[in-house]
């Protein structure tokens, strides 16, 4: 290795060592993990659809659709069948992972089945919201959405979506010109619409000019009691008890 | 023919030697150079070893600090395993979420490297191609954050 390249490596190593602790110390409690409210007496079943759209620089359009299901019974139990989206940093082969979640406030547990394995993760049902500190040391994410950007929140009022009255909120994050080498300002926009009556998310949109759009929508909502067996773990599944340690502590 | 005069000169110089002073100077210079040359290698090796020590130390410190900030110290091994890092943001971490849920996934071991986590030994069996990760998911299905977990001791 030439003397110049050794110098370059040395300088890079020094910079990395000096800057890494600064990233770690920059973390702050900035994320509130809320638990879905227990809604009794309003049972329903619905289909869901997650649509991801992206247009590449050469004009190629990519669209993926992932169906979902949502059930709630009169006791407030909830069953969600959906794909987790946004896992590419963990698994470059696939960005999504299918899972089934059963929230059972009656029994006091949350059950999760990941993929097709006959296993179910069990955690205690805890209604208390929790603060989560996000560690901003990940340079890839910090580059994607740099911390400390100004966001703007808007109340979008109410409107009817698929026969349900919904209230909406929009959050706009501004990425100023030049921050990421961009020649003009960019906006990342998130919209959430929740049914006033059913108290459930029925439409959400995420727009990012760099990564495309993701839309989640509940459709074909049927107000009837879903079959009881949907809210119980299928027979023969191995239960893995994850206890309460899956959850971070509450913010003092 | 020029060969015979050169042969004669060669024969006449055969008995000649360098002076003791010149010989001593030459020997001293050769010894000095021989002694100097190996020293370059230990100094380079020492520099590399020192850099490695600093790098390993810094990595351990980062992992320890990242895991300490927001998570309880486990009281002992149980099915939940021990968190090794704090929660690290994923692509949709800034997207506002309503109710969230945490799920444990098995992800490829290479995921650690994409978060700049160098220490692989502490995340389970080195033969395993996967590691455990707790992922926070919003009610819209978008993953918000991840932390890596040491498998429970059985």
């Amino acid at each position: 290795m030439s003397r110049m390249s050794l110098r370059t490596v040395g300088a890079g190593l020094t910079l990395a060592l000096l800057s890494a602790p600064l990233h770690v110390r920059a973390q702050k409690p900035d994320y509130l993990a809320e638990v879905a409210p227990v809604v009794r007496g309003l049972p329903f079943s619905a289909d869901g659809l997650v649509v991801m759209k992206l247009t590449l620089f050469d004009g190629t359009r990519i669209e993926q659709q992932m169906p979902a299901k949502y059930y709630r019974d009169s006791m407030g139990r909830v069953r969600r069948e959906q794909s987790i989206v946004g896992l590419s940093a963990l698994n470059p082969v696939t960005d999504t992972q299918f899972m089934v979640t059963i929230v059972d406030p009656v029994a006091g547990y949350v059950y999760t089945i990941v993929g097709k394995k006959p296993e179910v993760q069990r955690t205690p049902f805890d209604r208390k919201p929790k603060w989560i500190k996000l560690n901003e040391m990940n340079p890839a994410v910090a580059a994607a959405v740099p911390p400390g950007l100004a966001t703007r929140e808007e109340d979008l009022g109410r409107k009817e979506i698929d026969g349900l009255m919904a209230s909406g909120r929009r959050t706009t994050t501004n990425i100023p010109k030049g921050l990421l080498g961009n020649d003009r300002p960019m906006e990342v926009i998130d919209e959430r619409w929740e049914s006033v009556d059913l108290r459930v998310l029925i439409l959400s949109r995420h727009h990012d000019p760099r990564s495309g759009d993701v839309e989640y929508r509940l459709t074909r909502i049927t107000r009837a009691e879903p079959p009881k067996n949907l809210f119980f773990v299928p027979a023969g599944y191995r239960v893995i008890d994850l206890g309460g340690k899956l959850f971070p502590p509450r913010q003092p | 023919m020029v060969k015979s005069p050169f042969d004669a000169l060669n024969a006449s110089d055969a008995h000649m030697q360098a002076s003791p002073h010149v010989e001593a100077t030459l020997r001293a210079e050769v010894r000095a150079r021989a002694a100097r040359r190996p020293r370059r290698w230990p100094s380079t090796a020492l520099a590399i070893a020192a850099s490695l020590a600093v790098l390993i130390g810094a990595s351990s410190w980062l992992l320890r600090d990242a895991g300490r900030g927001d998570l309880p110290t486990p009281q002992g091994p149980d099915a939940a395993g021990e968190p090794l890092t704090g929660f690290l943001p994923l692509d949709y971490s800034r997207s506002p979420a309503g109710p969230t849920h945490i799920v444990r996934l098995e992800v490829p071991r290479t995921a650690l490297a994409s978060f700049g986590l160098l220490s692989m030994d502490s995340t389970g069996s080195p033969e395993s191609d996967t590691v455990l990760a707790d992922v926070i998911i919003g009610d819209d299905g978008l993953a918000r954050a991840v932390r890596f977990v040491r498998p429970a001791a059985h």
Side-chain angles (χ1 to χ4, degrees):
Chain A
M1 195 180 283
S2 71
R3 185 168 293 181
M4 182 57 79
S5 57
L6 271 173
R7 264 189 210 152
T8 311
V9 169
L13 189 66
T14 309
L15 272 175
L17 289 173
L18 287 175
S19 60
L22 294 177
H23 281 300
V24 173
R25 284 180 189 149
Q27 60 184 306
K28 53 188 187 297
D30 55 358
Y31 195 88
L32 180 64
E34 293 178 89
V35 179
V38 179
V39 182
R40 294 189 172 88
L42 285 170
F44 73 92
S45 304
D47 288 342
L49 189 64
V50 178
V51 181
M52 299 170 71
K53 289 180 184 172
L54 175 64
T55 304
L56 303 181
F57 69 94
D58 64 352
T60 305
R61 293 176 62 194
I62 298 173
E63 181 171 326
Q64 285 181 288
Q65 295 196 359
M66 285 156 286
K69 297 271 189 188
Y70 197 108
Y71 306 94
R72 183 200 290 157
D73 75 359
S74 296
M75 302 296 289
R77 297 185 187 97
V78 168
R79 176 188 175 104
R80 284 195 305 266
E81 301 173 8
Q82 65 184 141
S83 293
I84 312 167
V85 177
L87 298 173
S88 57
L90 298 173
N91 190 349
V93 177
T94 175
D95 184 46
T96 63
Q97 171 70 63
F98 182 75
M99 71 169 191
V100 176
T101 308
I102 299 169
V103 182
D104 187 349
V106 180
Y109 289 109
V110 177
Y111 302 95
T112 309
I113 300 167
V114 178
K116 293 179 177 175
K117 264 189 176 180
E119 289 179 351
V120 59
Q121 299 172 15
R122 188 175 75 173
T123 54
F125 175 74
D126 186 352
R127 298 173 193 223
K128 302 178 196 94
K130 296 164 186 72
W131 280 97
I132 293 173
K133 292 176 185 176
L134 289 188
N135 189 329
E136 305 283 2
M137 68 182 278
N138 179 1
V141 174
V145 185
L149 289 177
T151 57
R152 188 173 70 247
E153 296 239 354
E154 293 169 77
D155 186 344
L156 299 176
R158 293 186 174 192
K159 72 173 180 182
E160 198 175 293
I161 300 174
D162 293 338
L164 289 173
M165 188 54 68
S167 64
R169 288 196 74 77
R170 178 187 294 145
T171 307
T172 306
T173 305
N174 292 293
I175 301 175
K177 177 183 171 183
L179 187 67
L180 303 173
N182 44 316
D183 69 352
R184 68 195 78 178
M186 294 190 291
E187 286 189 333
V188 179
I189 301 169
D190 286 282
E191 252 184 55
R192 290 176 57 84
W193 291 91
E194 292 180 18
S195 162
V196 176
D197 183 19
L198 292 176
R199 296 171 66 191
V200 69
L201 180 73
I202 56 174
L203 175 63
S204 73
R205 291 194 185 105
H206 173 82
H207 166 77
D208 189 328
R210 298 161 301 165
S211 58
D213 297 346
V214 184
E215 183 180 287
Y216 165 84
R217 182 185 284 267
L218 272 191
T219 58
R220 298 171 62 188
I221 296 171
T222 308
R223 295 199 179 210
E225 191 75 26
K228 281 198 183 322
N229 65 323
L230 289 175
F231 302 96
F232 297 99
V233 176
Y237 273 57
R238 187 167 76 97
V239 176
I240 301 169
D241 200 341
L242 293 179
K245 287 190 175 175
L246 212 55
F247 304 99
R250 294 184 72 192
Q251 184 80 345
Chain B
M1 298 294 279
V2 291
K3 190 174 183 299
S4 56
F6 277 116
D7 285 345
L9 186 63
N10 187 29
S12 68
D13 289 350
H15 66 283
M16 292 176 75
Q17 291 182 346
S19 70
H21 172 71
V22 170
E23 186 178 344
T25 307
L26 274 173
R27 281 182 187 278
E29 181 60 24
V30 168
R31 282 197 194 100
R33 287 191 180 194
R36 272 201 304 269
R37 195 170 294 145
R39 266 190 217 141
R40 294 171 66 110
W41 287 104
S43 63
T44 309
L46 217 68
I48 290 171
S51 301
L52 279 174
V54 170
L55 194 62
I56 291 166
S59 302
S60 319
W61 183 84
L62 282 175
L63 275 177
R64 180 206 61 176
D65 197 66
R68 190 177 54 187
D70 50 346
L71 297 166
T73 305
Q75 299 304 305
D78 66 359
E82 179 186 354
L84 279 171
T85 65
F87 276 103
L88 306 162
L90 289 170
D91 292 349
Y92 299 110
S93 65
R94 296 288 165 186
S95 184
T100 54
H101 175 61
I102 302 181
V103 63
R104 180 158 295 176
L105 301 177
E106 259 184 65
V107 299
R109 180 170 286 270
T110 51
L112 287 164
S114 64
F115 286 87
L117 300 173
L118 304 174
S119 174
M120 309 289 181
D121 297 339
S122 53
T123 54
S125 164
E127 299 89 48
S128 172
D129 292 333
T130 58
V131 291
L132 295 177
D134 292 340
V135 180
I136 300 177
I137 302 149
D139 53 355
D140 49 10
L142 302 183
R144 280 359 192 250
V146 62
R147 74 178 172 195
F148 293 96
V149 182
R150 190 200 309 273
H154 293 293

